[in-house]
Amino acid sequence: MTANEEAEYYVTDLCPAAARARGKSSCPRTAPGRKDHGYLLGVQEDYFSKGKNESGDSKLRFETYHLLWQEMKSETERLQEELNKNLFDSLIEFLRKCHSGFHNSSHWGYQIKLREIPTAALILGVNVTDHDLIFRSLTEAIQNNVTPYVVPLKAKDCPDIKHLLQKFVTQLTNCCGDVKSKDSVQVTQKTSCSMDSLTTWYKTVTKKTGPKMPSKKRITSSQWQPPPVVLILKDMESFSTKVLQDFIIISSQHLHEFPLILIFGIATSPIIIHRLLPHAVSSLLCIELFQSLSCKEHLTTILDKLLLTTQFPFKISEKVLQVLTNIFLYHDFSIQNFIKGLQLSLLEHFYSQPLSVLCCNLPEAKRRINFLSISQCEDIRRLPSFRRYVEKQASEKQVALLTNERFLKVETQSLLENLHVYHLNYFLVLRCLHNFTSSLPKYPLGRQIRELYCACLEKNIWDSEDYGSALQLLRMLAKDELMTILKKCFKVFNSSSETQLGSTAKKIEEFLAEFQNLDEAKEEEDASGSQSKGLQKTDLYHLQKSLLEMRELRRTSKKQSKFEILREKVVNFIDCLVREYLLPPETQPLHEVLYFSAAHTLREHLNAAPRIALHTALNNPYYYLKNEALKSEEGCIPNIAPDICIAYKLHLECSRLINLVDWSEAFATVVTAADQMDGNATTSEEKNEIIHARFIRAVSELEHLGFIRPTKQKTDHVARLTWGGC
């Protein structure tokens, strides 16, 4: 199994579109992280040790990959919880206010008297693939803090009001732990599903359960209020207008007995509510809007915590990052798909790079270096970055590095430590430069830090024209702006005590003190100047003459002020930091151990190309089936190939209109080629019928895939819809 196939095996569940384009199907039951997780770990580990990875450290590499990914995954989950915390808190506060309003004479109580259903319009954005995760977390939060009766529904499960009520009743009863109440509702479901029966069930259940609301505070029975029912419509835009109208009208009639709260999941705009619902129905909703955090801000946070840090040793190259961000920005805006692409990069790195066993925390990597085998030492010597490093050393050291394993291991430990220090300094200076350039006009180095990071990964950033333009704009900053940016940079450098940039924070602090001294000196000059100006009186002619003289003097001398001199020092200081610490990773020895750079492999798996994949599968079935008998010379059609492959190859030789009779005879000739070679030229009538049935099935499959279609021009012909190979 090749590395590409191995990565496909793992990404089948991660990227179904890529799996379909490659001729595979997603199988959720056997996907990593599902029920058979333990068994699958063993299966993955077996595949991990095949092919190019038949080495003693394949198991260790797989375990390192699995451990590192679990850490990164838990970090992403924690980040997403933090990012959604404000949204969930405001929603929960809204639900609690509605709950108390059902029983008190408050604003909400007044709205309920008017039969207005409290409704939260949750604007989530167009990243629809991430909505399920958000609603899952939201459902748990509501169940833990507000009410156990939370029902999420999708439009595909509710084609009409009958199915909506059935789904609503079924899931609502599953929220209740009382078996008797479930049985009673099951009987009700068989007879009729209506809001009347649901209201009766709700009264019965709330009377039986009593004060069992999930709350940290103890509530007495006299203070206890029956919990509301929260219905979440995940994809409100996809619901039928009639279904929504009927449900809202029916629910508003029972609102005083059945406290219902609606949550609309909206991907586009809240205007869709008024487009789907007429005024008579929308007036029955008391709507409050809630806006989720932008998916771009999510991406920035994920990149900041996973890649722009030394917490995780794994890194990706500029081209790989560009592939992932392009898919995010131009296809789906999905954070989950971006994370899965990052997981695929991590997996491919540990599969294809033998030295990825050292892609772990620094103390563990140093320990593993002592146990490297002779073949692994040779792998280190073959690294391009290490070879460039050896060429720069003295002749004696070159001989020792190429012949002495012990000396090589010691030097490798030193190089890995230098690489760790390089990353510490790199990310601090990167954040400092971003603080300076993110607010410049037209954003020459990008507005987001990922854009600046891509530019720094690609080449020496100071060699680009955009960097020169940024420095020119920095030399025009006002004092207040410059001091604000310097304070941010001081916090960045002062936050880390492990780097060699401790003196940088002191230098920035000195710059801030000098700017402060300039303010005090300027105030004294202004005070003295105002006194002298008060004594001077002149006419308009002398004033114009003095202004012209001052302009001519400035044109000839161009003497810089103290602020301009200090500003120039600050810009030069930042420029020196950039040139010293923002070197591209390719300049660092052993960067291949930590960096994944096979962007073409990632693009092949994540950027689905269905037409190319289908043509490859039908024109060359050996590519996927790996059957040696299917190997054939170009232009030949093996008779043992799948029927659809034979029919596809034959149809490529036809013009726009294909005669079905000729096509069928050619198909039968290829299929019966083996019998003719054995001397059995005549075939029975039964065999002819079987071959004819196989041909019809192959033609139907090609029509289903969109290669041909029936035509009215000729009754016994079909029209070809594609031209050329791919």
Side-chain angles (χ1 to χ4, degrees):
M1 178 175 284
T2 63
N4 292 347
E5 292 174 334
E6 176 60 22
E8 276 187 69
Y9 174 81
Y10 293 115
V11 84
T12 300
D13 185 56
L14 302 179
C15 188
R20 289 193 297 270
R22 302 287 296 173
K24 303 180 183 294
S25 61
S26 176
C27 183
R29 294 183 181 177
T30 58
R34 302 295 174 93
K35 294 182 179 180
D36 301 330
H37 183 67
Y39 168 74
L40 285 164
L41 282 179
V43 174
Q44 293 172 357
E45 185 178 332
D46 292 340
Y47 273 97
F48 212 78
S49 60
K50 290 183 179 180
K52 298 179 181 179
N53 297 293
E54 292 180 355
S55 58
D57 66 332
S58 59
K59 181 178 180 180
L60 181 59
R61 271 193 286 153
F62 177 78
E63 291 175 352
T64 307
Y65 150 75
H66 185 67
L67 179 62
L68 181 58
W69 172 243
Q70 290 302 319
E71 293 176 356
M72 296 176 71
K73 183 180 179 182
S74 61
E75 180 67 15
T76 56
E77 292 174 353
R78 185 189 65 82
L79 289 174
Q80 289 179 336
E81 287 180 3
E82 291 182 356
L83 292 173
N84 291 325
K85 185 177 184 301
N86 293 333
L87 175 65
F88 289 176
D89 289 347
S90 58
L91 263 173
I92 289 172
E93 182 181 357
F94 167 78
L95 296 176
R96 286 175 175 169
K97 183 172 64 174
C98 297
H99 177 225
S100 61
F102 274 113
H103 305 278
N104 301 331
S105 58
S106 62
H107 168 72
W108 285 106
Y110 176 73
Q111 298 296 335
I112 291 166
K113 290 180 181 179
L114 297 179
R115 295 179 180 177
E116 292 185 0
I117 304 174
T119 305
L122 185 55
I123 315 299
L124 296 175
V126 296
N127 51 329
V128 181
T129 51
D130 295 341
H131 291 181
D132 283 339
L133 180 63
I134 296 175
F135 282 121
R136 197 180 309 128
S137 302
L138 177 62
T139 302
E140 294 177 359
I142 295 175
Q143 287 177 340
N144 294 332
N145 297 280
V146 181
T147 174
Y149 305 119
V150 184
V151 178
L153 292 179
K154 281 190 173 183
K156 65 179 182 180
D157 300 326
C158 308
D160 49 40
I161 188 64
K162 176 182 177 182
H163 286 84
L164 189 149
L165 288 174
Q166 286 179 350
K167 288 287 183 180
F168 187 29
V169 170
T170 303
Q171 295 192 34
L172 189 59
T173 54
N174 290 335
C175 299
C176 181
D178 191 358
V179 179
K180 294 183 179 179
S181 62
K182 287 185 180 181
D183 296 336
S184 62
V185 173
Q186 287 177 0
V187 175
T188 306
Q189 289 176 1
K190 294 178 181 179
T191 56
S192 64
C193 275
S194 63
M195 289 299 296
D196 291 330
S197 60
L198 196 57
T199 302
T200 304
W201 169 84
Y202 175 78
K203 291 180 179 179
T204 305
V205 170
T206 51
K207 285 180 180 179
K208 288 182 179 180
T209 54
K212 293 184 180 180
M213 277 285 298
S215 176
K216 296 181 180 179
K217 297 182 179 180
R218 304 185 70 178
I219 303 174
T220 61
S221 57
S222 59
Q223 298 173 333
W224 179 76
Q225 300 173 354
V229 177
V230 178
L231 175 61
I232 302 176
L233 304 182
K234 292 184 176 182
D235 46 352
M236 190 260 186
E237 293 101 330
S238 302
F239 274 84
S240 169
T241 303
K242 180 172 176 51
V243 172
L244 286 176
Q245 290 183 20
D246 293 345
F247 181 77
I248 292 172
I249 293 173
I250 295 172
S251 301
S252 65
Q253 301 295 327
H254 298 79
L255 193 60
H256 59 286
E257 299 175 323
F258 187 75
L260 177 67
I261 303 175
L262 297 178
I263 297 179
F264 290 160
I266 300 175
T268 54
S269 170
I271 302 176
I272 193 66
I273 298 177
H274 301 286
R275 289 180 180 175
L276 289 177
L277 304 176
H279 177 71
V281 178
S282 62
S283 61
L284 298 177
L285 302 176
C286 190
I287 304 173
E288 189 164 338
L289 295 180
F290 296 89
Q291 179 73 49
S292 66
L293 196 63
S294 169
C295 54
K296 291 185 179 180
E297 296 180 13
H298 275 248
L299 177 65
T300 301
T301 306
I302 294 295
L303 286 175
D304 186 55
K305 299 300 182 181
L306 293 187
L307 297 180
L308 303 182
T309 178
T310 57
Q311 180 182 358
F312 305 106
F314 174 71
K315 301 289 180 274
I316 56 178
S317 67
E318 181 267 339
K319 292 183 178 179
V320 174
L321 181 58
Q322 200 69 43
V323 169
L324 293 177
T325 52
N326 284 345
I327 293 174
F328 175 85
L329 294 173
Y330 300 113
H331 288 82
D332 53 16
F333 286 103
S334 173
I335 294 296
Q336 296 304 309
N337 287 347
F338 180 87
I339 294 172
K340 291 172 182 177
L342 196 62
Q343 181 186 7
L344 177 60
S345 304
L346 180 68
L347 174 66
E348 184 67 27
H349 176 68
F350 275 89
Y351 182 86
S352 59
Q353 176 56 259
L355 293 174
S356 59
V357 68
L358 303 178
C359 185
C360 54
N361 59 75
L362 185 60
E364 179 64 19
K366 286 184 175 181
R367 188 190 68 81
R368 292 182 180 182
I369 289 174
N370 296 324
F371 300 98
L372 292 180
S373 62
I374 297 176
S375 62
Q376 289 173 323
C377 292
E378 291 300 322
D379 290 336
I380 293 177
R381 294 186 178 110
R382 282 192 290 266
L383 291 177
S385 62
F386 185 78
R387 292 166 67 179
R388 291 194 297 267
Y389 172 76
V390 172
E391 291 172 358
K392 297 178 182 179
Q393 306 305 314
S395 57
E396 296 84 2
K397 191 173 182 179
Q398 287 181 359
V399 173
L401 288 172
L402 297 175
T403 57
N404 191 336
E405 274 71 20
R406 179 175 295 181
F407 185 80
L408 174 66
K409 293 178 181 179
V410 173
E411 191 68 16
T412 303
Q413 290 177 341
S414 176
L415 291 176
L416 280 182
E417 187 173 357
N418 293 339
L419 190 59
H420 177 73
V421 174
Y422 160 79
H423 282 132
L424 283 173
N425 298 331
Y426 185 96
F427 295 130
L428 290 178
V429 176
L430 182 72
R431 296 179 195 279
C432 177
L433 180 61
H434 175 66
N435 287 331
F436 272 94
T437 60
S438 60
S439 59
L440 293 178
K442 296 184 179 181
Y443 311 105
L445 293 179
R447 189 174 185 177
Q448 303 291 336
I449 193 171
R450 57 176 170 79
E451 299 172 302
L452 179 61
Y453 184 47
C454 283
C456 294
L457 288 176
E458 184 179 6
K459 60 180 181 180
N460 293 332
I461 186 66
W462 53 88
D463 292 336
S464 63
E465 295 181 2
D466 294 334
Y467 181 78
S469 302
L471 288 187
Q472 291 180 359
L473 292 172
L474 288 178
R475 292 187 174 97
M476 300 170 62
L477 284 178
K479 182 179 58 180
D480 295 339
E481 296 175 334
L482 198 57
M483 290 184 67
T484 303
I485 295 173
L486 284 175
K487 289 177 182 178
K488 294 180 181 178
C489 294
F490 176 76
K491 293 180 180 179
V492 170
F493 287 111
N494 201 35
S495 61
S496 179
S497 59
E498 302 179 6
T499 63
Q500 302 172 349
L501 295 172
S503 59
T504 305
K506 295 181 180 179
K507 186 67 176 176
I508 293 177
E509 195 173 11
E510 293 176 2
F511 282 137
L512 288 171
E514 292 183 27
F515 278 116
Q516 191 68 29
N517 294 334
L518 282 179
D519 288 341
E520 296 175 358
K522 185 178 180 181
E523 289 177 0
E524 295 178 357
E525 291 178 1
D526 292 343
S528 60
S530 61
Q531 294 177 359
S532 60
K533 287 179 181 178
L535 300 174
Q536 294 177 357
K537 293 183 180 180
T538 180
D539 57 5
L540 181 61
Y541 171 76
H542 290 91
L543 180 60
Q544 291 178 344
K545 184 178 179 181
S546 60
L547 287 174
L548 291 173
E549 290 176 355
M550 291 174 59
R551 187 180 300 174
E552 187 67 25
L553 181 63
R554 177 173 294 181
R555 186 182 300 172
T556 55
S557 61
K558 292 184 180 180
K559 184 178 179 181
Q560 290 183 325
S561 64
K562 293 182 180 180
F563 166 70
E564 292 174 341
I565 295 173
L566 186 56
R567 182 176 59 186
E568 186 70 22
K569 287 183 180 180
V570 172
V571 174
N572 292 336
F573 174 72
I574 298 301
D575 185 34
C576 292
L577 284 178
V578 170
R579 294 175 183 270
E580 184 177 359
Y581 294 106
L582 286 188
L583 295 168
E586 287 78 7
T587 61
Q588 305 302 311
L590 302 183
H591 73 273
E592 296 91 343
V593 175
L594 306 181
Y595 279 83
F596 173 69
S597 58
H600 62 282
T601 303
L602 195 65
R603 191 181 295 109
E604 181 182 356
H605 293 309
L606 297 182
N607 277 357
R611 186 183 178 195
I612 296 176
L614 283 173
H615 173 75
T616 303
L618 297 175
N619 196 45
N620 182 21
Y622 172 77
Y623 184 83
Y624 288 104
L625 300 180
K626 301 302 179 185
N627 187 351
E628 295 295 330
L630 294 175
K631 282 188 175 181
S632 62
E633 298 180 1
E634 188 175 356
C636 298
I637 305 176
N639 65 306
I640 63 170
D643 294 340
I644 189 174
C645 298
I646 297 174
Y648 177 79
K649 281 195 166 186
L650 291 172
H651 113 286
L652 291 178
E653 301 173 359
C654 302
S655 59
R656 189 178 68 86
L657 293 178
I658 306 175
N659 190 317
L660 286 172
V661 177
D662 296 340
W663 195 7
S664 175
E665 291 178 355
F667 179 84
T669 302
V670 174
V671 171
T672 59
D675 297 336
Q676 294 176 1
M677 292 177 63
D678 294 338
N680 186 16
T682 59
T683 58
S684 63
E685 183 178 352
E686 184 179 355
K687 284 188 176 181
N688 288 333
E689 292 178 355
I690 293 175
I691 293 174
H692 186 65
R694 289 167 58 184
F695 172 73
I696 293 176
R697 183 176 61 181
V699 171
S700 300
E701 291 174 349
L702 288 176
E703 182 182 355
H704 178 70
L705 291 174
F707 290 100
I708 60 174
R709 67 174 176 83
T711 177
K712 295 182 180 180
Q713 295 182 8
K714 293 184 179 181
T715 56
D716 57 346
H717 285 63
V718 292
R720 181 179 172 187
L721 299 178
T722 59
W723 293 93
C726 60

